[in-house]
Amino acid sequence: STKARVGTFGSDLILSVSGYDFHVHKMVLASRSEHFKELIEKEEQDAADGIIADEKMKKGMKIGDATLDDGDDAEPVISKNDIGPVQLLMSEIDPKLITRLLEYIYTDTVRGRLDPTSYEVKDLLVLADQFGLPRLRQICESAMAGKRGALQLQADGSVLRVPLTVESQLGNDLR
């Protein structure tokens, strides 16, 4: 698979998307999206259950007529450190969209223009809903409405579009 570098330092989660591996950070994704948090927790639990099943199988293995059993019937204790990096398979999402989604999650912005007539902005809107990202939804809706300009996040959480004109950028000194 191809590496898509998001930030491999300290990454503890791999999003596998159509042959691309995105090395990301569980804490960042889980703190920004309840849906990502649930996916990560489920994958961690599945991995822990797999390790426990392997440990139980090793304890009950037979060699010849002898059974390897240390007499300890206690459940093995598994920590998140025992699991290692978690991998989420997300083959149904276009890698370009996951790049945009991760860019938003990490930076709270969507760089570049979103074409209001493209499937990209509509698909990103669906992902915003799926992953519980209301501000990304606002950005997509604004782009779909054909509004232009820079988006600024206000203190109350709303998004304000500031028109990009020479006067707005330089003030009234040009008059």
Side-chain angles (χ1 to χ4, degrees):
S1 73
T2 307
K3 262 192 179 175
R5 185 182 172 118
V6 170
T8 58
F9 179 77
S11 68
D12 52 2
L13 176 65
I14 300 167
L15 299 181
S16 293
V17 182
S18 300
Y20 292 88
D21 288 339
F22 295 85
H23 296 261
V24 295
H25 307 86
K26 289 188 276 191
M27 187 59 73
V28 173
L29 272 57
S31 68
R32 295 292 310 265
S33 167
E34 188 65 32
H35 184 66
F36 262 125
K37 181 179 178 185
E38 290 168 4
L39 291 173
I40 292 165
E41 287 175 343
K42 181 187 180 318
E43 195 61 35
E44 285 178 334
Q45 186 60 55
D46 290 349
D49 291 346
I51 292 170
I52 290 170
D54 287 348
E55 291 295 319
K56 284 182 177 180
M57 193 165 66
K58 285 179 189 174
K59 283 186 175 189
M61 287 178 60
K62 291 187 175 187
I63 298 180
D65 292 333
T67 300
L68 294 178
D69 191 354
D70 58 9
D72 185 8
D73 291 333
E75 283 282 322
V77 176
I78 304 297
S79 75
K80 290 183 181 184
N81 292 333
D82 296 326
I83 296 170
V86 175
Q87 185 173 21
L88 291 177
L89 301 175
M90 307 180 86
S91 58
E92 71 282 356
I93 301 175
D94 183 320
K96 290 178 186 174
L97 285 173
I98 202 74
T99 300
R100 288 283 210 162
L101 181 69
L102 292 173
E103 174 186 63
Y104 172 77
I105 288 173
Y106 274 84
T107 67
D108 208 42
T109 59
V110 175
R111 287 182 272 174
R113 182 175 181 271
L114 288 173
D115 179 356
T117 62
S118 73
Y119 284 108
E120 178 188 40
V121 71
K122 295 169 188 155
D123 291 343
L124 199 54
L125 177 68
V126 170
L127 288 178
D129 285 342
Q130 180 181 351
F131 287 94
L133 302 166
R135 184 166 131 51
L136 179 58
R137 179 181 176 76
Q138 285 181 317
I139 292 169
C140 293
E141 287 174 338
S142 183
M144 289 170 65
K147 297 178 182 170
R148 301 186 71 115
L151 296 174
Q152 291 181 345
L153 181 63
Q154 303 302 299
D156 65 1
S158 65
V159 177
L160 176 67
R161 182 167 299 282
V162 179
L164 294 178
T165 64
V166 173
E167 285 183 0
S168 71
Q169 292 179 24
L170 301 176
N172 293 330
D173 297 339
L174 296 177
R175 289 184 183 177

